[in-house]
Amino acid sequence: FATLGWIRSAMLFAALPPITVSGLGLREGAALLLFPAYGVSPGAALAFSLLVFVEGHLVPGLVGSLLEAIGRRPRHSRNL
């Protein structure tokens, strides 16, 4: 799991520069460069990269949209 963890971290770091939308392309390129060294096929590396995108961007966005749609907002305490 340690190898998977550092590769995932490197993929997310590669997606930081603001040159693409949500780091798409940069993250996948990093996955395609790093995973084959450990015997992972390019297709599996690309699938993992897209899974990282979905779990890190789309799922939280969908949950937030659902909460907004049903009207549940966090309650803020009033400080006097």
Side-chain angles (χ1 to χ4, degrees):
F1 287 111
T3 301
L4 188 61
W6 84 260
I7 290 177
R8 183 176 187 268
S9 297
M11 288 170 34
L12 293 174
F13 185 73
L16 285 177
I19 12 182
T20 64
V21 176
S22 295
L24 288 172
L26 296 174
R27 181 179 34 255
E28 287 74 22
L32 291 174
L33 285 174
L34 297 172
F35 274 116
Y38 295 97
V40 177
S41 71
L46 183 63
F48 179 76
S49 178
L50 292 174
L51 181 66
V52 167
F53 171 72
V54 167
E55 67 94 15
H57 289 82
L58 294 182
V59 172
L62 291 174
V63 169
S65 298
L66 178 66
L67 291 176
E68 185 70 28
I70 61 174
R72 292 182 64 191
R73 295 189 179 108
R75 300 186 196 278
H76 298 286
S77 63
R78 293 183 186 181
N79 294 329
L80 298 176

